[in-house]
Amino acid sequence: MTDEALAFPTARHDHAACIAEALDRAERLCAERGERLTTLRRQVLELVWSGHAPQGAYDLLEQLGQARGRVAPPTVYRALEFLQAQGLIHRIESLNAFIGCPIPEERHSGQFFICRLCGLAAELDVGAIDRAIDREATRLGFTIERRTVELQGLCRACREAQA
Amino acid sequence: MTDEALAFPTARHDHAACIAEALDRAERLCAERGERLTTLRRQVLELVWSGHAPQGAYDLLEQLGQARGRVAPPTVYRALEFLQAQGLIHRIESLNAFIGCPIPEERHSGQFFICRLCGLAAELDVGAIDRAIDREATRLGFTIERRTVELQGLCRACREAQA
DNA sequence: TCGGTCATGTTATAAAATAACATTTGCGCC
DNA sequence: GGCGCAAATGTTATTTTATAACATGACCGA
Ligand SMILES: [Zn+2]
Ligand SMILES: [Zn+2]
Ligand SMILES: [Zn+2]
Ligand SMILES: [Zn+2]
């Protein structure tokens, strides 16, 4: 993150700072809420934040295995469930994968732009998109509880590299 | 469908007509395109259209097993792949399920409003939503290839029944 | 330090999807 | 009609993703 939260992650930004900031915010948030960000949960969050590309649960599982020996699926899934409940990560439905949330303080669903070449994903929270959806829901009499907005394609860098 | 295409399916509409129309349009479309809507594919499409709730691949597999004995997963998945390629069905990512498309003639992604109580799903193609997303993509320099917009919650009927 | 709750470990299994190869079917061509 | 190819389906095995159920351990207040 570090300032480019809610934009497409640039190729060369200080990602160590992203990770550090994400972990700090997670600590603060959990403290405020009286929730326990245990070592395991913190490790999983750190792994999710290892890049700006969504991470699969079994990738995380394997990486986690390096840090601690032998880890079973429920270990990772439970941590992911906690992190999701706290709004610290989002699940990308179209990829069966997870990504860190740059603005965990506010509850939201976000819109995800995901590049199929470099794998990077940008989370945005564009009011205009939400409002267009809300208007339609109102017209239908539909009460929205959960939103999934995922756009896949090519990011600017990858499209330019293509040509 | 039968007229209420792109609206929330009403509790008591002539669903037999929906199915018949969907199958007719599929026949016509495939004929136009020189594609083969085989018996198997037609059966799977009919099963997907058995209601307006998204159907899981293994549900379809089981139902298909009634018509023909012993069916293996690839059989159903291949039919679903074909139907998707022809735009006759959409995959609902957040449910790992499939639903019939009411307007298969036009290529589109659609927005899905899915009720968590009755399970019904409405496909809409709201220009305002697409445009709001497109504007953001342009701003980012992102080229969209595939859209996933799924809203889950309560339909009007279920919300009213709740109260 | 006791007792309860929440977190994690462990084992097994369910659910969803695909790979790889064999067989059959449909269809144009002779 | 019979031949040969390509597409569709069958078959078997396996991969990937996710959860159920129960055991053990850590933390925290009384
Ligand atoms: Zn970063
Ligand atoms: Zn977010
Ligand atoms: Zn109907
Ligand atoms: Zn559609």
Side-chain angles (χ1 to χ4, degrees):
Chain A
M1 303 175 281
T2 340
D3 186 55
E4 79 269 350
L6 304 193
F8 218 87
T10 58
R12 297 197 150 280
H13 67 278
D14 182 358
H15 187 61
C18 285
I19 299 178
E21 185 184 338
L23 294 176
D24 276 1
R25 292 168 88 165
E27 294 282 9
R28 193 172 336 123
L29 226 88
C30 289
E32 280 172 23
R33 293 177 185 164
E35 297 284 350
R36 297 170 50 196
L37 186 62
T38 61
T39 308
L40 173 66
R41 290 165 175 175
R42 212 185 123 94
Q43 276 183 313
V44 171
L45 180 58
E46 187 169 3
L47 289 173
V48 169
W49 269 102
S50 66
H52 290 274
Q55 304 285 307
Y58 279 76
D59 295 338
L60 296 169
L61 186 59
E62 194 187 329
Q63 294 178 259
L64 195 62
Q66 324 259 305
R68 345 180 117 212
R70 173 81 63 71
V71 179
T75 301
V76 144
Y77 278 103
R78 283 190 291 229
L80 290 170
E81 187 179 28
F82 171 84
L83 296 171
Q84 265 193 284
Q86 296 307 315
L88 294 165
I89 63 175
H90 295 285
R91 180 184 159 82
I92 305 297
E93 299 291 346
S94 56
L95 295 179
N96 295 336
F98 300 83
I99 193 168
C101 175
I103 47 169
E105 293 81 10
E106 305 167 27
R107 289 317 174 96
H108 61 269
S109 334
Q111 297 108 27
F112 299 89
F113 290 77
I114 306 154
C115 180
R116 81 170 145 82
L117 286 187
C118 65
L120 297 187
E123 173 178 351
L124 285 96
D125 282 275
V126 179
I129 297 174
D130 279 334
R131 281 193 300 276
I133 291 171
D134 288 341
R135 267 194 294 278
E136 197 53 29
T138 301
R139 200 180 68 74
L140 286 175
F142 190 93
T143 307
I144 297 177
E145 293 173 343
R146 182 177 146 214
R147 295 165 194 255
T148 304
V149 179
E150 299 169 8
L151 296 317
Q152 289 175 58
L154 293 184
C155 71
R156 187 194 302 267
C158 286
R159 180 172 39 72
E160 286 170 355
Q162 284 285 74
Chain B
M1 299 177 284
T2 341
D3 189 56
E4 79 269 351
L6 306 192
F8 218 86
T10 58
R12 295 195 150 282
H13 68 277
D14 183 357
H15 187 62
C18 285
I19 299 178
E21 184 183 340
L23 294 177
D24 277 1
R25 292 169 87 165
E27 295 281 10
R28 193 172 335 122
L29 226 87
C30 288
E32 282 172 21
R33 294 177 185 163
E35 298 284 350
R36 298 169 52 193
L37 187 61
T38 61
T39 308
L40 173 66
R41 291 166 173 175
R42 210 184 125 94
Q43 278 183 312
V44 171
L45 181 59
E46 187 170 2
L47 288 172
V48 170
W49 269 102
S50 65
H52 290 275
Q55 304 285 306
Y58 280 75
D59 295 339
L60 296 168
L61 186 61
E62 194 187 329
Q63 294 177 260
L64 194 62
Q66 326 258 304
R68 346 180 118 211
R70 173 80 61 73
V71 179
T75 300
V76 145
Y77 278 102
R78 283 191 290 229
L80 290 170
E81 187 179 26
F82 170 85
L83 296 171
Q84 264 192 286
Q86 296 307 316
L88 294 163
I89 63 175
H90 295 286
R91 179 183 160 84
I92 305 296
E93 300 291 344
S94 56
L95 294 177
N96 294 338
F98 299 84
I99 192 166
C101 175
I103 48 169
E105 292 80 8
E106 306 167 28
R107 291 315 173 95
H108 61 270
S109 335
Q111 297 107 28
F112 299 89
F113 290 77
I114 307 155
C115 179
R116 81 170 145 84
L117 285 186
C118 65
L120 297 187
E123 174 179 348
L124 284 96
D125 282 276
V126 180
I129 296 174
D130 278 334
R131 281 192 299 275
I133 291 171
D134 289 340
R135 266 193 296 277
E136 197 54 28
T138 301
R139 200 179 68 73
L140 286 176
F142 190 93
T143 308
I144 297 177
E145 293 173 342
R146 182 176 146 217
R147 294 163 195 257
T148 304
V149 178
E150 300 169 9
L151 296 317
Q152 289 175 58
L154 293 183
C155 72
R156 188 195 302 266
C158 286
R159 182 172 37 74
E160 286 171 354
Q162 284 286 73

